[in-house]
């Protein structure tokens, strides 16, 4: 059986995280939505946005909305009956803050999906462990003199991930391949540190998609950080209004500020960065490839390709992105440049 994830109707919904990627490639829990399906149907999952390139008849596929986070029960039902009608125990991504809202549930589902029938690596001496049975460590990971409390939710440590001395982690928690928690990091569930990310300071109920840095002290809570982002030392966000009232955040889909619940922190798009000691207000949305600095409080909505208070020159943006990628041993690709260029020119026309 082949699965077609219908992503075309939803790729505006989760701005800024769907500006440069399909909603199927959004990470929520341990895996992206696409990776969850690949666990069950390896090599048999395609996106609607890719169909024109492959010239494959849609009748060959079972169609599923790509904004659905599949439950294990649902995935098993599809395998057994070939029935792809969505069950009530799945979750739905309609707005970007839904990513951290559903992250607790998604980590638990993914943990069961990818660890069933497998043996965890040993954690090693010198660590304080609570609920060992809820912790899974992949090969090559290292955990040194830290506290891992999985009593309230599972903890997943990815391949070659590093948990440095003095970290305090409460599940549900996931850290991806080659990612790192610096010494003394405090993490509250439900938090996902994506592959090749760096975490430090205090992090709570947040998702870092991948390749991004929060390497220093400061607070990140009820937030989502895209790929290739960097938060300067001392950066913090507010996630709760002083009145404890409803937070409003910018919605690209609705073209206005809308209610995002009582807790919503920072929503930062890919390739964006901020200076040291930046303070973000509740419900701040940062677009693609922004460099945030200056003496004033950042706006609650920072448009794509913003440099301070000016427009980012495209060639300069590409150079700076490449400089940051080099720090992790990568380089910007022609495909990335083309995608950024298309998006940049689209924004120029608006």
């Amino acid at each position: 059986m082949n699965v077609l994830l219908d992503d075309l109707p939803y790729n505006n919904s989760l701005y800024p995280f769907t500006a440069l990627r399909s909603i199927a490639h959004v990470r929520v829990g341990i895996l992206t939505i696409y990776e969850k399906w690949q666990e069950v149907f390896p090599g048999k999952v395609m996106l609607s946005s890719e169909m024109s390139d492959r010239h494959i008849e849609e009748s060959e596929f079972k169609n599923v909305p790509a904004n659905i986070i599949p439950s294990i029960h649902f995935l098993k039902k599809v395998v057994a009956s070939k029935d792809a009608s969505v069950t009530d125990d799945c979750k739905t991504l309609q707005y970007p803050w839904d990513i951290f809202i559903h992250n607790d549930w998604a980590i638990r589902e993914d943990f069961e999906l990818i660890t069933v029938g497998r043996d965890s690596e040993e954690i090693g001496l010198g660590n304080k462990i609570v609920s060992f049975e809820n912790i899974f460590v992949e090969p090559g990971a290292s955990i040194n003199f830290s506290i891992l409390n999985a009593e309230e939710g599972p903890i997943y440590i990815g391949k070659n991930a590093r948990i440095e001395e003095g970290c305090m982690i409460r599940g549900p928690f996931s850290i991806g391949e080659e990612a790192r928690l610096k010494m003394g990091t405090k993490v509250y569930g439900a938090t996902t540190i994506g592959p090749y990310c760096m975490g430090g300071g205090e992090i709570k109920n947040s998702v870092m998609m991948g390749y991004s840095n929060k390497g220093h002290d400061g607070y990140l809570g009820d937030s989502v950080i895209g790929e290739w982002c960097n938060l300067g030392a001392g950066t913090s966000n507010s996630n709760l209004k002083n009145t404890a009232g409803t937070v409003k955040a910018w919605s690209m889909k609705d073209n206005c500020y809308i209610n995002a619940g009582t807790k919503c922190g920072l929503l930062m798009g890919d390739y964006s960065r901020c200076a040291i000691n930046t303070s973000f207000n509740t419900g701040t949305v940062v677009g693609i490839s922004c460099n945030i600095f200056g003496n004033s409080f950042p706006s609650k909505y920072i448009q794509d390709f913003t440099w301070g208070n000016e427009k980012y020159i495209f060639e300069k943006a590409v150079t700076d992105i490449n400089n940051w990628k080099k720090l992790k041993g990568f380089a910007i690709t022609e495909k990335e440049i083309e995608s950024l260029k298309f998006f940049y020119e689209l924004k120029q026309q608006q």
Side-chain angles (χ1 to χ4, degrees), residues 138-319:
E138 296 283 5
S142 63
I143 308 166
N144 294 307
F145 302 101
S146 293
I147 300 172
L148 279 67
N149 185 346
E151 189 174 26
E152 296 182 6
I155 293 176
Y156 175 83
I157 312 296
K159 182 180 177 182
N160 297 328
R162 292 168 54 192
I163 309 295
E164 295 182 351
E165 296 83 350
C167 291
M168 296 179 285
I169 301 169
R170 293 180 66 89
F173 171 74
S174 166
I175 184 168
E177 181 178 353
E178 298 285 352
R180 172 187 173 197
L181 283 188
K182 295 181 72 176
M183 291 191 300
T185 303
K186 296 173 287 187
V187 182
Y188 299 84
T191 290
T192 295
I193 307 296
Y196 292 87
C197 283
M198 180 187 297
E202 182 179 1
I203 307 173
K204 173 250 180 187
N205 194 36
S206 295
V207 175
M208 298 176 69
M209 295 278 185
Y211 306 93
S212 291
N213 300 326
K214 182 206 175 299
H216 304 283
D217 286 342
Y219 176 70
L220 183 72
D222 298 288
S223 298
V224 183
I225 306 298
E227 293 188 350
W228 298 107
C229 297
N230 188 73
L231 304 182
T235 294
S236 290
N237 75 269
S238 169
N239 63 334
L240 178 68
K241 295 180 69 173
N242 287 342
T243 61
T246 300
V247 178
K248 290 184 178 292
W250 176 260
S251 166
M252 181 66 73
K253 181 173 77 170
D254 299 281
N255 196 32
C256 64
Y257 287 90
I258 66 170
N259 294 342
T262 56
K263 285 193 175 182
C264 184
L266 171 64
L267 306 168
M268 177 178 278
D270 297 347
Y271 307 114
S272 288
R273 304 171 295 279
C274 67
I276 61 170
N277 296 321
T278 303
S279 296
F280 290 104
N281 211 330
T282 51
T284 295
V285 176
V286 177
I288 301 300
S289 187
C290 296
N291 192 359
I292 302 162
F293 59 89
N295 297 324
S296 60
F297 219 84
S299 169
K300 282 196 60 173
Y301 171 43
I302 301 173
Q303 296 186 20
D304 307 290
F305 297 99
T306 292
W307 168 278
N309 293 319
E310 302 176 6
K311 193 70 176 177
Y312 221 144
I313 297 172
F314 180 75
E315 290 74 17
K316 172 64 174 170
V318 170
T319 298

Side-chain angles (χ1 to χ4, degrees), residues 100-170:
F100 66 75
I101 287 174
H102 295 315
N103 201 47
D104 184 307
W105 175 87
I107 289 176
R108 297 173 193 270
E109 292 285 312
D110 286 352
F111 186 87
E112 181 179 345
L113 178 67
I114 66 179
T115 66
V116 64
R118 301 175 60 209
D119 294 325
S120 170
E121 297 291 312
E122 294 185 2
I123 295 178
L125 300 176
N127 296 290
K128 175 65 176 178
I129 306 300
V130 181
S131 297
F132 179 87
E133 67 278 7
N134 292 331
I135 300 173
F136 192 92
V137 181
E138 296 283 5
S142 63
I143 308 166
N144 294 307
F145 302 101
S146 293
I147 300 172
L148 279 67
N149 185 346
E151 189 174 26
E152 296 182 6
I155 293 176
Y156 175 83
I157 312 296
K159 182 180 177 182
N160 297 328
R162 292 168 54 192
I163 309 295
E164 295 182 351
E165 296 83 350
C167 291
M168 296 179 285
I169 301 169
R170 293 180 66 89

Side-chain angles (χ1 to χ4, degrees), residues 58-93:
E58 288 196 35
S59 59
E60 299 178 21
F61 292 83
K62 294 290 184 179
N63 287 33
V64 182
N67 70 328
I68 297 297
I69 312 173
S71 68
I72 292 177
H73 170 262
F74 172 55
L75 290 171
K76 288 180 177 178
K77 186 202 73 164
V78 177
V79 171
S81 66
K82 307 296 188 291
D83 178 8
S85 55
V86 179
T87 54
D88 292 339
D89 58 341
C90 297
K91 304 296 182 183
T92 304
L93 294 180

